PDB file of all heavy atoms in Angstrom:
ATOM      1  N   GLN A 162     108.696  93.474  41.827  1.00  0.00           N
ATOM      2  CA  GLN A 162     108.045  93.452  43.142  1.00  0.00           C
ATOM      3  C   GLN A 162     107.357  92.125  43.369  1.00  0.00           C
ATOM      4  O   GLN A 162     106.619  91.635  42.505  1.00  0.00           O
ATOM      5  CB  GLN A 162     107.037  94.594  43.246  1.00  0.00           C
ATOM      6  CG  GLN A 162     106.409  94.698  44.632  1.00  0.00           C
ATOM      7  CD  GLN A 162     105.443  95.858  44.725  1.00  0.00           C
ATOM      8  OE1 GLN A 162     105.192  96.540  43.734  1.00  0.00           O
ATOM      9  NE2 GLN A 162     104.909  96.078  45.895  1.00  0.00           N
ATOM     10  N   TYR A 163     107.596  91.575  44.571  1.00  0.00           N
ATOM     11  CA  TYR A 163     106.992  90.288  44.920  1.00  0.00           C
ATOM     12  C   TYR A 163     105.613  90.510  45.508  1.00  0.00           C
ATOM     13  O   TYR A 163     105.436  91.340  46.409  1.00  0.00           O
ATOM     14  CB  TYR A 163     107.866  89.535  45.906  1.00  0.00           C
ATOM     15  CG  TYR A 163     107.226  88.275  46.450  1.00  0.00           C
ATOM     16  CD1 TYR A 163     107.063  87.159  45.631  1.00  0.00           C
ATOM     17  CD2 TYR A 163     106.783  88.224  47.762  1.00  0.00           C
ATOM     18  CE1 TYR A 163     106.474  86.020  46.115  1.00  0.00           C
ATOM     19  CE2 TYR A 163     106.205  87.084  48.259  1.00  0.00           C
ATOM     20  CZ  TYR A 163     106.046  85.975  47.432  1.00  0.00           C
ATOM     21  OH  TYR A 163     105.461  84.855  47.927  1.00  0.00           O
ATOM     22  N   GLN A 164     104.575  89.792  45.000  1.00  0.00           N
ATOM     23  CA  GLN A 164     103.211  89.912  45.493  1.00  0.00           C
ATOM     24  C   GLN A 164     102.822  88.637  46.214  1.00  0.00           C
ATOM     25  O   GLN A 164     102.807  87.569  45.615  1.00  0.00           O
ATOM     26  CB  GLN A 164     102.244  90.166  44.332  1.00  0.00           C
ATOM     27  CG  GLN A 164     102.523  91.465  43.580  1.00  0.00           C
ATOM     28  CD  GLN A 164     101.555  91.675  42.450  1.00  0.00           C
ATOM     29  OE1 GLN A 164     100.645  90.874  42.252  1.00  0.00           O
ATOM     30  NE2 GLN A 164     101.758  92.740  41.691  1.00  0.00           N
ATOM     31  N   PRO A 165     102.523  88.708  47.532  1.00  0.00           N
ATOM     32  CA  PRO A 165     102.150  87.504  48.292  1.00  0.00           C
ATOM     33  C   PRO A 165     100.897  86.862  47.708  1.00  0.00           C
ATOM     34  O   PRO A 165      99.955  87.545  47.307  1.00  0.00           O
ATOM     35  CB  PRO A 165     101.894  88.047  49.705  1.00  0.00           C
ATOM     36  CG  PRO A 165     102.627  89.345  49.755  1.00  0.00           C
ATOM     37  CD  PRO A 165     102.573  89.895  48.381  1.00  0.00           C
ATOM     38  N   GLY A 166     100.885  85.541  47.724  1.00  0.00           N
ATOM     39  CA  GLY A 166      99.718  84.800  47.260  1.00  0.00           C
ATOM     40  C   GLY A 166      99.732  84.495  45.786  1.00  0.00           C
ATOM     41  O   GLY A 166      98.824  83.832  45.278  1.00  0.00           O
ATOM     42  N   LYS A 167     100.706  85.011  45.028  1.00  0.00           N
ATOM     43  CA  LYS A 167     100.783  84.756  43.599  1.00  0.00           C
ATOM     44  C   LYS A 167     102.103  84.070  43.266  1.00  0.00           C
ATOM     45  O   LYS A 167     103.118  84.339  43.904  1.00  0.00           O
ATOM     46  CB  LYS A 167     100.676  86.058  42.818  1.00  0.00           C
ATOM     47  CG  LYS A 167      99.329  86.746  42.976  1.00  0.00           C
ATOM     48  CD  LYS A 167      99.246  87.989  42.118  1.00  0.00           C
ATOM     49  CE  LYS A 167      97.877  88.662  42.248  1.00  0.00           C
ATOM     50  NZ  LYS A 167      97.770  89.861  41.403  1.00  0.00           N
ATOM     51  N   ASN A 168     102.057  83.175  42.274  1.00  0.00           N
ATOM     52  CA  ASN A 168     103.255  82.453  41.858  1.00  0.00           C
ATOM     53  C   ASN A 168     104.091  83.346  40.947  1.00  0.00           C
ATOM     54  O   ASN A 168     104.166  83.169  39.733  1.00  0.00           O
ATOM     55  CB  ASN A 168     102.881  81.160  41.137  1.00  0.00           C
ATOM     56  CG  ASN A 168     102.173  80.208  42.070  1.00  0.00           C
ATOM     57  OD1 ASN A 168     102.380  80.278  43.266  1.00  0.00           O
ATOM     58  ND2 ASN A 168     101.348  79.330  41.530  1.00  0.00           N
ATOM     59  N   THR A 169     104.719  84.348  41.529  1.00  0.00           N
ATOM     60  CA  THR A 169     105.520  85.289  40.760  1.00  0.00           C
ATOM     61  C   THR A 169     106.918  84.724  40.576  1.00  0.00           C
ATOM     62  O   THR A 169     107.630  84.520  41.563  1.00  0.00           O
ATOM     63  CB  THR A 169     105.597  86.640  41.489  1.00  0.00           C
ATOM     64  OG1 THR A 169     104.275  87.089  41.716  1.00  0.00           O
ATOM     65  CG2 THR A 169     106.346  87.647  40.659  1.00  0.00           C
ATOM     66  N   ASN A 170     107.294  84.474  39.355  1.00  0.00           N
ATOM     67  CA  ASN A 170     108.600  83.915  39.059  1.00  0.00           C
ATOM     68  C   ASN A 170     109.583  85.066  38.846  1.00  0.00           C
ATOM     69  O   ASN A 170     109.571  85.747  37.832  1.00  0.00           O
ATOM     70  CB  ASN A 170     108.523  83.035  37.805  1.00  0.00           C
ATOM     71  CG  ASN A 170     109.791  82.236  37.618  1.00  0.00           C
ATOM     72  OD1 ASN A 170     110.715  82.339  38.428  1.00  0.00           O
ATOM     73  ND2 ASN A 170     109.833  81.450  36.564  1.00  0.00           N
ATOM     74  N   TYR A 178     113.055  82.010  43.236  1.00  0.00           N
ATOM     75  CA  TYR A 178     111.600  81.882  43.276  1.00  0.00           C
ATOM     76  C   TYR A 178     111.169  81.204  44.581  1.00  0.00           C
ATOM     77  O   TYR A 178     111.727  80.201  44.997  1.00  0.00           O
ATOM     78  CB  TYR A 178     111.107  81.076  42.074  1.00  0.00           C
ATOM     79  CG  TYR A 178     109.676  80.627  42.206  1.00  0.00           C
ATOM     80  CD1 TYR A 178     108.639  81.550  42.129  1.00  0.00           C
ATOM     81  CD2 TYR A 178     109.383  79.292  42.438  1.00  0.00           C
ATOM     82  CE1 TYR A 178     107.330  81.144  42.261  1.00  0.00           C
ATOM     83  CE2 TYR A 178     108.078  78.879  42.566  1.00  0.00           C
ATOM     84  CZ  TYR A 178     107.046  79.814  42.473  1.00  0.00           C
ATOM     85  OH  TYR A 178     105.762  79.403  42.615  1.00  0.00           O
ATOM     86  N   ILE A 179     110.166  81.786  45.243  1.00  0.00           N
ATOM     87  CA  ILE A 179     109.602  81.239  46.474  1.00  0.00           C
ATOM     88  C   ILE A 179     108.107  81.100  46.293  1.00  0.00           C
ATOM     89  O   ILE A 179     107.415  82.087  45.976  1.00  0.00           O
ATOM     90  CB  ILE A 179     109.888  82.149  47.686  1.00  0.00           C
ATOM     91  CG1 ILE A 179     111.391  82.296  47.899  1.00  0.00           C
ATOM     92  CG2 ILE A 179     109.231  81.615  48.941  1.00  0.00           C
ATOM     93  CD1 ILE A 179     111.756  83.252  49.014  1.00  0.00           C
ATOM     94  N   ASP A 180     107.610  79.902  46.483  1.00  0.00           N
ATOM     95  CA  ASP A 180     106.181  79.651  46.366  1.00  0.00           C
ATOM     96  C   ASP A 180     105.497  80.048  47.668  1.00  0.00           C
ATOM     97  O   ASP A 180     105.575  79.348  48.674  1.00  0.00           O
ATOM     98  CB  ASP A 180     105.933  78.174  46.056  1.00  0.00           C
ATOM     99  CG  ASP A 180     104.465  77.893  45.750  1.00  0.00           C
ATOM    100  OD1 ASP A 180     103.665  78.850  45.787  1.00  0.00           O
ATOM    101  OD2 ASP A 180     104.131  76.728  45.501  1.00  0.00           O
ATOM    102  N   SER A 181     104.819  81.176  47.672  1.00  0.00           N
ATOM    103  CA  SER A 181     104.197  81.674  48.906  1.00  0.00           C
ATOM    104  C   SER A 181     103.038  80.806  49.363  1.00  0.00           C
ATOM    105  O   SER A 181     102.641  80.848  50.539  1.00  0.00           O
ATOM    106  CB  SER A 181     103.699  83.111  48.680  1.00  0.00           C
ATOM    107  OG  SER A 181     102.700  83.137  47.669  1.00  0.00           O
ATOM    108  N   GLN A 182     102.440  80.017  48.466  1.00  0.00           N
ATOM    109  CA  GLN A 182     101.320  79.173  48.862  1.00  0.00           C
ATOM    110  C   GLN A 182     101.727  78.148  49.907  1.00  0.00           C
ATOM    111  O   GLN A 182     100.910  77.730  50.727  1.00  0.00           O
ATOM    112  CB  GLN A 182     100.754  78.458  47.615  1.00  0.00           C
ATOM    113  CG  GLN A 182     100.106  79.398  46.611  1.00  0.00           C
ATOM    114  CD  GLN A 182      98.895  80.106  47.195  1.00  0.00           C
ATOM    115  OE1 GLN A 182      98.247  79.592  48.111  1.00  0.00           O
ATOM    116  NE2 GLN A 182      98.593  81.285  46.679  1.00  0.00           N
ATOM    117  N   LYS A 183     103.010  77.763  49.916  1.00  0.00           N
ATOM    118  CA  LYS A 183     103.473  76.800  50.913  1.00  0.00           C
ATOM    119  C   LYS A 183     103.415  77.404  52.317  1.00  0.00           C
ATOM    120  O   LYS A 183     103.149  76.729  53.296  1.00  0.00           O
ATOM    121  CB  LYS A 183     104.892  76.346  50.583  1.00  0.00           C
ATOM    122  CG  LYS A 183     104.989  75.516  49.312  1.00  0.00           C
ATOM    123  CD  LYS A 183     106.407  75.041  49.086  1.00  0.00           C
ATOM    124  CE  LYS A 183     106.509  74.182  47.838  1.00  0.00           C
ATOM    125  NZ  LYS A 183     107.893  73.705  47.612  1.00  0.00           N
ATOM    126  N   PHE A 184     103.676  78.720  52.410  1.00  0.00           N
ATOM    127  CA  PHE A 184     103.635  79.366  53.710  1.00  0.00           C
ATOM    128  C   PHE A 184     102.202  79.580  54.184  1.00  0.00           C
ATOM    129  O   PHE A 184     101.891  79.461  55.357  1.00  0.00           O
ATOM    130  CB  PHE A 184     104.376  80.718  53.652  1.00  0.00           C
ATOM    131  CG  PHE A 184     105.847  80.568  53.474  1.00  0.00           C
ATOM    132  CD1 PHE A 184     106.419  80.519  52.212  1.00  0.00           C
ATOM    133  CD2 PHE A 184     106.679  80.456  54.581  1.00  0.00           C
ATOM    134  CE1 PHE A 184     107.783  80.383  52.053  1.00  0.00           C
ATOM    135  CE2 PHE A 184     108.051  80.311  54.425  1.00  0.00           C
ATOM    136  CZ  PHE A 184     108.606  80.273  53.159  1.00  0.00           C
ATOM    137  N   HIS A 185     101.304  79.911  53.253  1.00  0.00           N
ATOM    138  CA  HIS A 185      99.905  80.092  53.626  1.00  0.00           C
ATOM    139  C   HIS A 185      99.262  78.765  54.022  1.00  0.00           C
ATOM    140  O   HIS A 185      98.437  78.717  54.936  1.00  0.00           O
ATOM    141  CB  HIS A 185      99.139  80.729  52.465  1.00  0.00           C
ATOM    142  CG  HIS A 185      99.512  82.158  52.205  1.00  0.00           C
ATOM    143  ND1 HIS A 185      99.144  83.188  53.050  1.00  0.00           N
ATOM    144  CD2 HIS A 185     100.235  82.716  51.206  1.00  0.00           C
ATOM    145  CE1 HIS A 185      99.616  84.336  52.583  1.00  0.00           C
ATOM    146  NE2 HIS A 185     100.300  84.076  51.463  1.00  0.00           N
ATOM    147  N   SER A 186      99.635  77.694  53.350  1.00  0.00           N
ATOM    148  CA  SER A 186      99.056  76.390  53.666  1.00  0.00           C
ATOM    149  C   SER A 186      99.553  75.871  55.012  1.00  0.00           C
ATOM    150  O   SER A 186      98.928  75.000  55.620  1.00  0.00           O
ATOM    151  CB  SER A 186      99.390  75.387  52.561  1.00  0.00           C
ATOM    152  OG  SER A 186     100.798  75.206  52.462  1.00  0.00           O
TER     153      SER A 186
END
Side-chain angles (χ1 to χ4, degrees):
Q162 185 178 4
Y163 173 71
Q164 298 180 2
K167 295 183 179 181
N168 295 334
T169 304
N170 191 0
Y178 167 70
I179 299 176
D180 187 0
S181 62
Q182 293 297 334
K183 292 183 179 180
F184 291 90
H185 290 288
S186 62

